[in-house]
Amino acid sequence: MPEESIDHINFEELNSKAISKPIVTHLYTADPSAHVFENKVYIYPSHDVDAGEAFDDLGSHFAMEDYHVFSMDSIEGNVKDHGIALHIDDVKWAEKQMWAPDANEKDGKYYLFFPAKDYEGIFRIGVAVSDLPYGPFIPQPNSIHGSFSIDPAVFKDDDGSYYMYFGGIWGGQLQRWRKGVFNADHPESPTAFLPEDNEPALLPFVAKMTDDLLQFDESPKEVEIVDENGDLLLAGDNDRRFFEAAWLHKYKGKYYFSYSTGDTHFICYAIGNNPYGPFTYSGRILNPVVGWTSHHSICEFKGKWYLFYHDSSLSKGVTHLRSVKIAEIKYNEDGTIQTLNPYN
Ligand code: FUB
C-alpha cells in the first residue's frame, strides 16, 4: 500500500483485520530473515529507527545503525530480543544504512551477512562471525571482495554448498552496476540507468560462497526470472519483475526464488531446478502491506511453512518504521503457493 494512501486508513479497523500482529513492539523491525538453529527460530531483521532523514526514492530515510537478533521456541510463543548483535561503529568499512541482513550457520559458527554504504556512498555486503546464533558478531575488516548492492540472502543447499543471492534496484543501486563498475553519475536519481520498459528487467545475482563463507567463490551470476514461455520478464512488467528482497528456499526438491516487486508492493516467487535458475515466475505470495516496502523470508519449522514479513501498521504507516510479522503459508498439490492477503 503506497504511502500516499495512508491518510485514508483507519488503523484500528485495519489491525483488527490483519492476519498477524507485530512479533515485538518495543523496537521497529523489518526485512526479517528467519532460520531454524538449535530447534529455535532465529530472526535476523533490520532495526528501523527515525534518524531524521527526509523521505526520498533513494531510501535515505532508512538510516539504520545496528542489528538485533530475536529467537522463538515456538511460533506463537515469547520472542526473545538478544540485544545488539552488531553496530555500524564496529564495522570499519561501513559508513551508514545497515539494510536487510541474513545469517547462516556452518560447523558451529554463525555468519551475519549485511549490506551497508561504504565511505564512497556505495552499497557493499559484509560478513560478521560469532560462536552463537545471536552474536555478538565480529565483522571482517573489509566487505566481501566484488560485492555490490543490497539484501543478501544466503541459502544452504542439501550438498552443503552455500549461495548468496543479492541485489536491489533504485536506492539499492543495482542499476548503477550495469557495466560492471559503479556509475556515480546523476547521484540523486533512483531510476537513472534502468532499462527501458520493453527491455529485459534487471536481474538479481547469485554467487557460491567460499568454504569459510567469507568471500564469493566465483564471479556473481545473474539470476534469470522468466515467464511461462521462457522469456525474461521485462523492465516494464512492474507487477512481476525483480526489485529487491531476494530469498531462496527449497520445497520438494524444487528451488523457490522469491522477491519483492518494489513499486508495486508484491512478494512474488519463481521456481527453478537448481540454485542458479532460470526460475519461472509462478505467482504472488503476499499482497501489498501498509508501507512502501515489502520484504520477507520463508522457513519451515516443526512441519509447517511460514512467511516472515513486515508492515508499517504499528507506526500508522510510517514507511521506515516497520514491524516484523509471521504468517503460515500453504502449498497447493502442484507446488504453487497460496497468496496471502495481509488484511482479510
Ligand atoms: O530496509 C531497507 C530496505 O528496504 C531493504 O534493504 C529493502 O529490501 C527494503 O525492505
Side-chain angles (χ1 to χ4, degrees), residues 14-32:
L14 180 106
N15 286 334
S16 71
K17 292 187 192 161
I19 58 170
S20 42
K21 295 186 174 12
I23 61 162
V24 293
T25 55
H26 67 291
L27 293 178
Y28 288 111
T29 55
D31 308 325

Side-chain angles (χ1 to χ4, degrees), residues 30-31 46 48 62 64 98-100 115 150-151 244-245 260 293-295 310 322:
D31 308 325
S46 299
D48 281 358
F62 294 106
M64 299 84 104
M98 290 185 119
W99 284 15
I150 58 165
D151 291 0
E244 62 188 3
S260 165
T293 67
S294 199
H295 192 121
H310 69 224
R322 302 160 291 178

Side-chain angles (χ1 to χ4, degrees), residues 46-304:
S46 299
H47 173 196
D48 281 358
V49 287
D50 192 355
E53 299 283 341
F55 178 99
D56 66 23
D57 284 339
L58 292 169
S60 308
H61 46 302
F62 294 106
M64 299 84 104
E65 295 188 340
D66 62 22
Y67 297 110
H68 285 230
V69 178
F70 300 85
S71 66
M72 313 169 78
D73 291 317
S74 69
I75 291 295
E76 293 78 26
N78 287 340
V79 179
K80 180 164 183 184
D81 177 356
H82 293 272
I84 295 179
L86 180 68
H87 194 283
I88 196 148
D89 289 349
D90 297 321
V91 185
K92 274 195 200 141
W93 61 266
E95 185 189 11
K96 59 183 177 183
Q97 290 179 288
M98 290 185 119
W99 284 15
D102 190 19
N104 221 314
E105 180 271 343
K106 187 175 182 188
D107 299 334
K109 287 209 177 296
Y110 296 85
Y111 298 80
L112 183 71
F113 305 94
F114 60 96
K117 274 190 185 155
D118 67 13
Y119 285 87
E120 291 175 274
I122 301 176
F123 267 116
R124 304 282 182 183
I125 297 170
V127 191
V129 187
S130 176
D131 291 330
L132 296 166
Y134 46 85
F137 290 89
I138 309 298
Q140 293 294 294
N142 299 303
S143 56
I144 294 175
H145 182 69
S147 67
F148 55 94
S149 199
I150 58 165
D151 291 0
V154 174
F155 163 74
K156 180 187 181 186
D157 207 351
D158 298 335
D159 66 356
S161 305
Y162 291 75
Y163 299 87
M164 181 183 288
Y165 298 81
F166 63 93
I169 63 174
W170 292 27
Q173 302 180 336
L174 192 58
Q175 68 282 358
R176 296 189 174 275
W177 289 95
R178 288 181 71 179
K179 294 197 170 141
V181 288
F182 186 76
N183 187 339
D185 294 344
H186 310 294
E188 301 309 318
S189 171
T191 51
F193 317 117
L194 284 175
E196 297 297 326
D197 280 0
N198 60 358
E199 293 177 325
L202 289 186
L203 297 169
F205 281 81
V206 58
K208 193 172 182 178
M209 302 300 289
T210 51
D211 282 346
D212 60 8
L213 299 192
L214 299 178
Q215 298 292 338
F216 295 152
D217 202 23
E218 59 186 357
S219 297
K221 299 171 170 47
E222 287 181 327
V223 176
E224 293 193 340
I225 306 171
V226 298
D227 65 15
E228 60 283 7
N229 301 315
D231 297 325
L232 287 170
L233 298 184
L234 298 182
D237 189 352
N238 298 47
D239 281 353
R240 299 195 297 175
R241 61 90 173 90
F242 173 82
F243 190 102
E244 62 188 3
W247 188 256
L248 199 286
H249 76 281
K250 208 169 175 180
Y251 177 77
K252 293 194 174 170
K254 295 278 187 193
Y255 295 78
Y256 287 64
F257 179 80
S258 47
Y259 56 95
S260 165
T261 62
D263 55 345
T264 50
H265 318 285
F266 297 111
I267 298 291
C268 291
Y269 69 107
I271 301 177
N273 292 319
N274 71 77
Y276 291 102
F279 297 92
T280 304
Y281 179 87
S282 300
R284 293 177 187 162
I285 301 173
L286 182 68
N287 280 328
V289 294
V290 172
W292 200 95
T293 67
S294 199
H295 192 121
H296 74 300
S297 62
I298 294 169
C299 177
E300 187 183 18
F301 187 52
K302 298 186 178 166
K304 290 184 173 180

